[in-house]
Amino acid sequence: MSRGLVLGIESSCDETAAAVVAEGRRIVSNVVASQVQVHARFGGVVPEVASRQHLTAVVPVIREAMGSIAWDELAGVAVTYGPGLAGSLLVGLSAAKALAWAQGLALAGVNHLEAHLYANWLLEEEPRFPLLGLVVSGGHSDLVLMRQHLDYRLLGQTRDDAAGEAFDKVARILGLGYPGGPAIQQAAQRGDPARLTLPRAWLEGSLDFSFSGLKTAVLRLVERLEREPGPGAPTLNDVAAAFQESVVDVLAEKTARAAREYGVRTVILSGGVASNTRLREEVRRRVTLPVMCPPPSLCTDNAAMVAACGWYKLQAGRLAGLDLDVVPSLRLDAASKRGMM
Ligand code: KG4
Ligand code: ZN
C-alpha cells in the first residue's frame, strides 16, 4: 500500500539536501549537508566549488534520507530545477533523473521558491487559501498571492538586492562574516536601533522592494564612523540593529498592506530571512490574520520543502520528463503559467 512518500532533492545553492515526506505534510527524514564552512573563507558562495561539493555529497545524502525505505515505496521523486546556480542544480537534477529512470519513478520538477512556500505545509496547521506568501531568501524577496495549490501570482519583488543578499553584504561591511543574516541578528541584539535612522525605500504605490540604497547608506555611515570615531558615536552593533529594523519595517509593512488589499485568510513566511526573529515579530504585530512561519531549519534550504511541493505536483499529474533541464533564472509565476510543470 502506498504511503504517499516522495523523495525530495535540493542542490540549488550551497546545501546538498534530500528528504522523504509523506503526503506532502509529514517529514519522514530530512538530511542537509551544508557547505557553509567551505565557502565562509571566500566570504560567499563560489559556484564551481559548490558544484564539486554537491557531487561528493549527493549520493550519501540521498542514501541517508532513504534509510530503510525501499524504492518501490516511493510515489515519486521531486527535484529543484531552478532558480539557482546552473552547475549546482545540474547535480541534483541529474541524480533525480537517474533515480527516476532506473527505478521507474514519477519525476516532479520544483521551483526552489515554490518549495520555500511549501515549507509551511510541513507545519501542524494547514495553510488556508487564498493566502499571501512572503519569500525572503538570499536571491529573492517576493510577495506572492496563492489562490489554490501550485497557483502563484507575483504581487511584488525586489528591484535590486534581495533581502538576504542585503544582510550578507551589510555583514561583510560590518566585518561580521558569512552568512550575514544570523550574524547581523546576533549583533543587533547588542545594539540600539534608535541611535540611528537609516533610509527605507517605500516605492509608494508598489509592493516591490529595493534594498541596495540601504546597503550603500550603511557603507557611507561606516566609512564616516571610521573617520570620526568618538566616545558617543554609534557602535557597529547599533548599525546592525538599525539596518535590521529598516529591512524588517519595509518587509512587514508591505506584507501587512498586501494582506489587507487582497483579502487573504493566511499569511505564510518562508526563505532563510524568515528565520529572523524581528521579522517574525513585526509581521505578527502588524497582520491581524493567522501568520505561519516554519522553524529556522525549514526556512533555510532543505529538501523536505521540495518533497512537500512535489507531492502536490504528482497529485495534479504535473510530471516532468527525463529531458527536464535546469533553469537558473526560473521565475515563480512560470510554475503556474506552464501547463506541464
Ligand atoms: O533560503 P536560503 O537558505 O537560501 C536561498 O535560497 O538563498 O536563504 C539564505 C539567506 C542568506 O542570505 C542568509 O543571510 C539569510 O537567508 N538568513 C537570515 C537569517 N538566517 C539566514 N537573514 C536574516 N536573519 C536571519 N536570522
Ligand atoms: Zn532557498
Side-chain angles (χ1 to χ4, degrees):
M1 226 223 16
S2 165
R3 289 191 280 154
L5 300 182
V6 173
L7 169 68
I9 300 176
E10 156 66 40
S11 70
S12 64
C13 189
D14 60 346
E15 257 98 31
T16 321
V20 176
V21 169
E23 286 168 350
R25 305 275 338 261
R26 289 184 315 281
I27 297 177
V28 176
S29 66
N30 187 17
V31 182
V32 181
S34 174
Q35 309 173 4
V36 72
Q37 302 296 345
V38 182
H39 298 288
R41 66 192 143 116
F42 302 109
V45 178
V46 183
E48 191 184 326
V49 174
S51 315
R52 288 165 184 267
Q53 293 284 323
H54 286 305
L55 269 180
T56 53
V58 71
V59 171
V61 164
I62 292 173
R63 248 196 206 127
E64 191 181 334
M66 285 296 289
S68 58
I69 299 165
W71 294 110
D72 63 4
E73 288 182 74
L74 293 181
V77 182
V79 62
T80 307
Y81 72 105
L85 302 168
S88 290
L89 288 163
L90 276 169
V91 178
L93 180 57
S94 302
K97 281 161 74 164
L99 283 173
W101 186 44
Q103 303 295 341
L105 294 165
L107 181 69
V110 170
N111 180 313
H112 182 76
L113 303 172
E114 61 177 338
H116 271 304
L117 289 164
Y118 272 88
N120 285 280
W121 271 265
L122 298 167
L123 307 182
E124 206 165 307
E125 285 281 307
E126 189 168 352
R128 298 209 290 174
F129 297 115
L131 62 82
L132 176 74
L134 174 71
V135 191
V136 270
S137 68
H140 295 82
S141 311
D142 292 341
L143 269 172
V144 188
L145 179 66
M146 281 182 81
R147 294 186 198 278
Q148 54 184 328
H149 276 298
L150 310 175
D151 174 34
Y152 314 101
R153 182 168 152 210
L154 200 54
L155 304 178
Q157 59 190 317
T158 184
R159 295 188 183 173
D160 39 57
D161 293 350
E165 192 180 353
F167 269 94
D168 293 335
K169 287 178 175 171
V170 165
R172 198 182 302 187
I173 294 169
L174 299 178
L176 293 173
Y178 172 85
I184 291 207
Q185 178 172 313
Q186 230 183 1
Q189 277 159 3
R190 296 189 293 269
D192 177 4
R195 300 197 62 208
L196 294 156
T197 309
L198 286 169
R200 282 129 169 89
W202 289 112
L203 309 176
E204 282 308 334
S206 155
L207 290 170
D208 281 352
F209 303 104
S210 163
F211 297 111
S212 90
L214 171 62
K215 171 197 63 191
T216 310
V218 171
L219 180 62
R220 297 284 165 265
L221 175 69
V222 170
E223 284 168 355
R224 186 166 60 78
L225 291 175
E226 278 168 3
R227 270 196 319 272
E228 303 161 10
T235 64
L236 291 187
N237 289 340
D238 296 335
V239 180
F243 163 77
Q244 180 175 263
E245 286 310 298
S246 176
V247 175
V248 164
D249 190 12
V250 178
L251 290 175
E253 195 55 37
K254 293 215 171 190
T255 302
R257 200 181 297 167
R260 281 194 301 272
E261 243 172 69
Y262 289 88
V264 296
R265 295 169 81 185
T266 325
V267 170
I268 63 175
L269 306 184
S270 57
V273 183
S275 20
N276 187 277
T277 49
R278 279 293 297 135
L279 178 64
R280 292 162 176 252
E281 272 171 23
E282 269 316 291
V283 174
R284 291 212 159 99
R285 197 173 70 77
R286 297 184 206 195
V287 172
T288 48
L289 302 162
V291 175
M292 299 177 59
C293 194
S297 62
L298 294 175
C299 283
T300 49
D301 289 350
N302 65 85
M305 64 187 193
V306 178
C309 180
W311 166 254
Y312 292 97
K313 291 215 163 175
L314 295 175
Q315 291 294 97
R318 284 159 72 165
L319 306 186
L322 288 177
D323 58 349
L324 179 63
D325 194 2
V326 300
V327 184
S329 57
L330 186 64
R331 283 172 56 98
L332 183 57
D333 45 3
S336 34
K337 275 186 197 140
R338 222 189 276 176
M340 282 307 289
M341 287 185 294

